[in-house]
Amino acid sequence: QVRFVESGGGLVQPGGSLRLSCAPSGTILDGYAAAWYRQAPGKERELVAVSTRSGRINYSDSVKGRFTISRDNSKNAVYLQMNSLKPEDTAVYYCNAGPQYGLGPYEYWGQGTQVTVSS
């Protein structure tokens, strides 16, 4: 059974940084596309960043220049480095991955990790 588990969320002050991690069990990330989504209270889930199987990387306009998606196949993990955090970045962040091509969403979802940006 394939599962993805996120970690690294928490409470951070505005302007601060966090790095989220996502690691699978039951599979390896090599050959998978991966993405990060987020969902704030009362809002729909939105795409934050995506790394496709062809190597294309896209970011939402709201995080471009502040967030970076990366992957380390040797550690079988995908990351989301979040810098210059703002209160509006507060949300549950979800890892999404799968062997599909295109921009997603993909087959597997993590359980989510809470990110709260507040002073």
Side-chain angles (χ1 to χ4, degrees), residues 23-60:
S25 59
T27 190
I28 58 173
L29 275 176
D30 192 12
Y32 273 45
W36 289 93
Y37 285 75
R38 68 185 181 187
Q39 187 167 19
K43 295 188 177 181
E44 294 187 355
R45 191 173 297 189
E46 64 171 349
L47 177 65
V48 174
V50 58
S51 173
T52 70
R53 287 193 62 173
S54 62
R56 179 178 176 182
I57 292 180
N58 279 10
Y59 298 96
S60 69

